Amino acid sequence: MQPFDTVIRNACVVTAADIFNCDIGIRSGRIAALATDLPAGLTEIDAAGRHVTPGGIDSHVHLDQPTGDASVMADDFYSGTVSAACGGTTTVIPFACQQKGQSLQAAVDDYHRRAGSKPVIDYAFHLIVTDPTPDVLHRELPALIEDGYTSFKIYMTYDALKMGDREILETLSVARREGAMVMLHAENSDCIAWLTERLLAAGHGAPRYHASSRPMLIEREATHRAIALAELVDVPILIVHVSGREAVEQIRWAQSKGLKVFAETCPQYLFLTADSLGCDDSFEGAKCICSPPPRDPANQQVIWDGLENGSFELFSSDHAPFRYEGRDGKKANGDSPTFDEVANGIPGVETRMALLWSEGVRTGRITPQSFVALTSTNAAKMYGLYPRKGSIAIGADADLVIWNEGQRVELTNQMLHHNVDYTPYEGMQLTAWPAMTLSRGDVVWDGEPRGVAGRGTFLPCARPVPAQTRRRQNELPL
Ligand code: URP
Ligand code: ZN
Ligand code: ZN
């Protein structure tokens, strides 16, 4: 028998279901054995009893995505994937975004060109559908789903991206027929526009008013509407970046009715509040402008509860990287633009896993198995990458994280590898960080980034695992 390429000794292996001690034998990039006392590998790594989890799947990241204005995303497929790997993520799923008037295929082609030979870890694409013409819905989208682009995002806000309810219904019904997974950005566009106009007229343009322009009811209403539209069409949906109680209540209500409504949340809703956008009119708060905005400590607790009680399927970063200094990021529209002109989004692809392990697992709020489900396994199932990705099992890709725990780590931007000049979590004291990340058996982080550009491969996605998307009988003529 051929020797193992690598053996990881004395691992405390965590999957979404179990924790057990064993060695991990890796051959040709895949897990070939899980057992004690494996024969020597060509390379030996001693995990010394530390936790070993599946590499993270960050299923909500924006890399080198055209913005439609003067702002430019700071991370491309190289810096973004290096940063991901250093934080324990081994697969990213960014978005190929259709511009209005553009064909979906052109958006996908452009995005493959942007990825080029840059990625250091594996990647798949979601689509963003903004212009659901008959050709897009009836020819392009089904063909792309067949080709491995099995999930797409619909926006209910942002003028350049949003769809009206009728368009959403038409698009959801294609997802139902083709078995795709639909992600919804749920905020009420007209309410935001109405409030923004009034806030600006009153001279309230500082970053902190971003939160005032998007109160929770705006997310609650759109979440409810998204659920109703999906119920009408009889199709599963995933509500992304859920920020607090009122949206969670809608989701729990839908789930209690047996509707296939899934939900994702992100670190910003656990660790930031509206106060992170500033308590005065300084521009610094622009660093934390994202949508929906972070809320307050009571809403943070609701999100923690949702992670514990199964309301959420996914914990993703929504990494949307814009630099604070310079003229192509948060200040692309002037030195201190009003909140509505500040690029939306915050960085987080490198910090997501450690934040949740440190503040979720090590504090006892969630189990190590839930951590694995939320950061890896569920995304693999939801987006058709399972069982190749998302678990530690024979035959799965050897995408693994060995954790360092117990030592205090002060989180600073200096230690990160993204191309953004700040982290919203500067100064946080953590008690965990990945000691080593392996992608298909290659070490891509061991205290230094080791991934080589172009080693990451594109992953066509299967349709979601069937149990996730089982449909009710619907008598409507859909
Ligand atoms: O503010 C955010 N979330 N920016 C990224 C784009 C999106 O809506 O996910
Ligand atoms: Zn969004
Ligand atoms: Zn996003």
Side-chain angles (χ1 to χ4, degrees):
M1 172 88 95
Q2 240 188 319
F4 295 112
D5 299 327
T6 304
V7 174
I8 301 176
R9 302 258 166 226
N10 309 310
C12 178
V13 169
V14 188
T15 69
D18 297 305
I19 302 190
F20 49 93
N21 296 308
C22 69
D23 303 335
I24 305 173
I26 299 170
R27 202 179 277 123
S28 304
R30 298 201 170 200
I31 297 171
L34 294 167
T36 48
D37 302 321
L38 288 178
L42 300 175
T43 301
E44 293 270 321
I45 295 170
D46 186 8
R50 289 177 292 183
H51 286 113
V52 179
T53 62
I57 298 176
D58 197 338
S59 57
H60 190 153
V61 298
H62 304 269
L63 299 177
D64 198 9
Q65 186 180 314
T67 61
D69 64 18
S71 62
V72 177
M73 288 200 169
D75 283 314
D76 65 7
F77 277 81
Y78 179 68
S79 62
T81 57
V82 167
S83 182
C86 297
T89 287
T90 49
T91 302
V92 288
I93 317 185
F95 296 85
C97 179
Q98 178 197 28
Q99 309 298 315
K100 289 207 192 266
Q102 188 187 32
S103 80
L104 267 183
Q105 186 63 54
V108 169
D109 293 345
D110 174 60
Y111 215 46
H112 274 295
R113 191 186 52 71
R114 287 168 187 268
S117 54
K118 291 179 179 172
V120 309
I121 55 169
D122 294 346
Y123 60 103
F125 290 170
H126 304 294
L127 308 173
I128 294 174
V129 181
T130 63
D131 201 356
T133 62
D135 188 53
V136 164
L137 290 183
H138 301 301
R139 189 184 61 80
E140 283 208 291
L141 192 49
L144 283 165
I145 292 167
E146 192 58 36
D147 284 352
Y149 307 87
T150 58
S151 51
F152 58 85
K153 185 171 176 184
I154 293 176
Y155 281 86
M156 300 171 84
T157 188
Y158 298 130
D159 287 344
L161 304 174
K162 70 181 181 190
M163 284 189 200
D165 290 354
R166 177 70 189 262
E167 292 175 310
I168 294 174
L169 287 169
E170 301 289 4
T171 312
L172 288 177
S173 79
V174 174
R176 179 182 196 269
R177 204 177 55 231
E178 304 295 332
M181 177 55 72
V182 183
M183 312 159 80
L184 274 129
H185 179 130
E187 289 185 295
N188 181 310
S189 185
D190 285 334
C191 292
I192 294 167
W194 185 82
L195 274 172
T196 299
E197 203 175 282
R198 273 154 187 77
L199 285 163
L200 295 180
H204 297 324
R208 64 181 163 136
Y209 294 106
H210 174 75
S212 321
S213 74
R214 302 171 110 99
M216 193 70 204
L217 76 88
I218 277 172
E219 188 182 346
R220 181 234 298 161
E221 185 281 329
T223 302
H224 182 86
R225 187 156 36 99
I227 290 167
L229 299 178
E231 183 180 11
L232 182 59
V233 175
D234 187 15
V235 66
I237 52 165
L238 168 68
I239 309 288
V240 293
H241 44 49
V242 172
S243 74
R245 176 185 299 284
E246 296 188 30
V248 171
E249 283 171 354
Q250 297 301 316
I251 290 158
R252 293 290 289 176
W253 171 80
Q255 291 170 343
S256 73
K257 279 177 50 132
L259 299 175
K260 291 284 176 194
V261 172
F262 305 107
E264 169 206 81
T265 193
C266 314
Q268 45 271 39
Y269 306 116
L270 294 177
F271 303 111
L272 304 179
T273 64
D275 286 352
S276 311
L277 277 70
C279 296
D280 59 22
D281 283 357
S282 90
F283 190 67
E284 186 88 9
K287 290 179 176 174
C288 294
I289 284 189
C290 58
S291 299
R295 307 293 180 185
D296 61 17
N299 280 293
Q300 290 179 335
Q301 187 55 50
V302 170
I303 299 296
W304 277 118
D305 294 345
L307 289 171
E308 262 176 70
N309 69 25
S311 303
F312 291 110
E313 215 74 19
L314 302 177
F315 185 73
S316 312
S317 70
D318 194 5
H319 180 76
F322 296 100
R323 292 175 70 84
Y324 180 68
E325 297 297 350
R327 270 305 163 85
D328 57 2
K330 294 284 183 183
K331 298 177 182 170
N333 290 313
D335 254 346
S336 63
T338 52
F339 66 83
D340 56 315
E341 295 187 309
V342 175
N344 263 256
I346 63 175
V349 73
E350 192 166 347
T351 45
R352 170 186 76 119
M353 298 276 282
L355 282 169
L356 193 63
W357 190 276
S358 176
E359 303 311 299
V361 177
R362 288 191 53 81
T363 57
R365 284 168 162 138
I366 60 168
T367 62
Q369 293 95 319
S370 294
F371 170 90
V372 169
L374 287 161
T375 58
S376 186
T377 312
N378 293 348
K381 290 182 175 172
M382 196 78 80
Y383 297 123
L385 296 171
Y386 192 83
R388 176 174 172 188
K389 302 290 187 188
S391 193
I392 299 180
I394 308 290
D397 281 356
D399 291 356
L400 301 163
V401 182
I402 304 175
W403 286 89
N404 256 347
E405 294 171 65
Q407 291 146 11
R408 291 186 84 74
V409 182
E410 179 172 324
L411 185 41
T412 63
N413 197 53
Q414 221 186 350
M415 65 193 258
L416 302 180
H417 301 80
H418 59 192
N419 194 28
V420 183
D421 52 358
Y422 73 94
T423 168
Y425 311 109
E426 185 76 30
M428 265 187 79
Q429 301 290 327
L430 303 186
T431 59
W433 198 265
M436 185 178 283
T437 309
L438 293 95
S439 161
R440 281 182 280 103
D442 295 341
V443 174
V444 289
W445 163 253
D446 62 358
E448 292 294 328
R450 304 274 179 210
V452 177
R455 66 166 299 290
T457 59
F458 176 71
L459 304 165
C461 296
R463 288 172 173 83
V465 171
Q468 302 275 1
T469 57
R470 196 173 301 123
R471 294 170 175 81
R472 293 175 298 115
Q473 289 303 310
N474 191 328
E475 280 153 29
L476 293 175
L478 298 169

